Amino acid sequence: MKTDDLVSMLATGDVAVPLRRRRASSRMWLALLVGLPFSFVILFTGYGVRHDIVQAMFWPMFWVKVLFPLCIAAAGFVAAERLARPGVKPRNVWMGAVLPVLGVWMLAVIAWFTMPGEARMPALMGQSWRICAVSIGLMALPVFAAALVALRGMAPTRPALAGAAAGALAGGVGASVYALHCMELTAPFLAVWYVSGIAVPVLAGALLGPRLLRW
């Protein structure tokens, strides 16, 4: 749209109808459906599913590891869908991302102070701390890229927040996919390395949003 045309529209009140909620939601769902299969491709080709996955499904901490990132992803999805529409505030959606993190941190503190001293550092570092956050970021990348493309085709007026929301969606999905491979089950490990892995795309989205999502 040319600047003169935009000024004319604002002067006459003939402004385009805001982006509809259904369209924003549909585009975000499409981004998720496009990106998620590639995250699983990375999992299956580069990592593989843990060999005792069926047995692990009976352990409560396995589901904590899978579900707390999914809650963050859900909050990121709703926030991105709202921020894609001008004038729509995310309101308390961010609490949906914060509360799961606080819950895992609380579990980590309880576990830290109830386990023997010699068990604390192994519980925190595990066997895979070097690759955990990087792996989560790698599996989040397809959803992250697809979500940014979807947002770029809409009308976010707060691009940094919109980018951060896309990062929360992608980071949560990436962590949940990686959880199918990861052997770690201690709360201190999840509180540090999983949260760090999810935070990377959130920060990347906040930094890239103003550059990629401006309109």
Side-chain angles (χ1 to χ4, degrees):
M1 179 181 292
K2 296 181 180 179
T3 304
D4 293 342
D5 295 336
L6 177 60
V7 172
S8 177
M9 289 174 61
L10 293 174
T12 60
D14 185 18
V15 182
V17 177
L19 187 68
R20 293 177 298 177
R21 177 177 181 178
R22 182 174 298 178
R23 182 186 174 195
S25 180
S26 297
R27 290 182 68 95
M28 293 309 302
W29 275 114
L30 180 60
L32 183 59
L33 292 175
V34 168
L36 184 57
F38 288 98
S39 297
F40 277 108
V41 167
I42 295 172
L43 170 69
F44 290 129
T45 59
Y47 294 82
V49 176
R50 57 184 294 167
H51 61 85
D52 61 345
I53 186 70
V54 175
Q55 181 181 359
M57 289 181 179
F58 293 93
W59 302 336
M61 282 304 297
F62 173 81
W63 291 109
V64 171
K65 182 171 63 172
V66 172
L67 293 178
F68 100 84
L70 281 182
C71 292
I72 296 173
F77 181 96
V78 176
E81 182 267 331
R82 290 184 177 178
L83 288 165
R85 294 176 285 142
V88 180
K89 298 180 179 180
R91 297 178 182 175
N92 297 323
V93 172
W94 294 113
M95 293 302 295
V98 173
L99 290 178
V101 174
L102 293 178
V104 170
W105 283 349
M106 186 178 300
L107 288 176
V109 170
I110 294 172
W112 184 266
F113 287 105
T114 55
M115 67 177 59
E118 63 274 12
R120 289 176 177 173
M121 288 308 296
L124 174 63
M125 308 305 287
Q127 300 295 320
S128 58
W129 66 272
R130 292 180 179 86
I131 66 168
C132 180
V134 173
S135 299
I136 289 173
L138 181 62
M139 294 186 194
L141 187 58
V143 176
F144 183 58
L148 288 180
V149 171
L151 286 170
R152 187 173 175 83
M154 292 185 275
T157 55
R158 286 173 285 183
L161 283 178
L169 167 61
V173 169
S176 294
V177 172
Y178 177 67
L180 301 179
H181 164 81
C182 178
M183 301 297 291
E184 314 290 353
L185 289 173
T186 62
F189 186 94
L190 301 181
V192 173
W193 303 111
Y194 268 62
V195 172
S196 297
I198 296 170
V200 169
V202 174
L203 294 175
L207 292 174
L208 291 174
R211 297 185 178 185
L212 300 179
L213 303 180
R214 288 187 300 178
W215 57 283

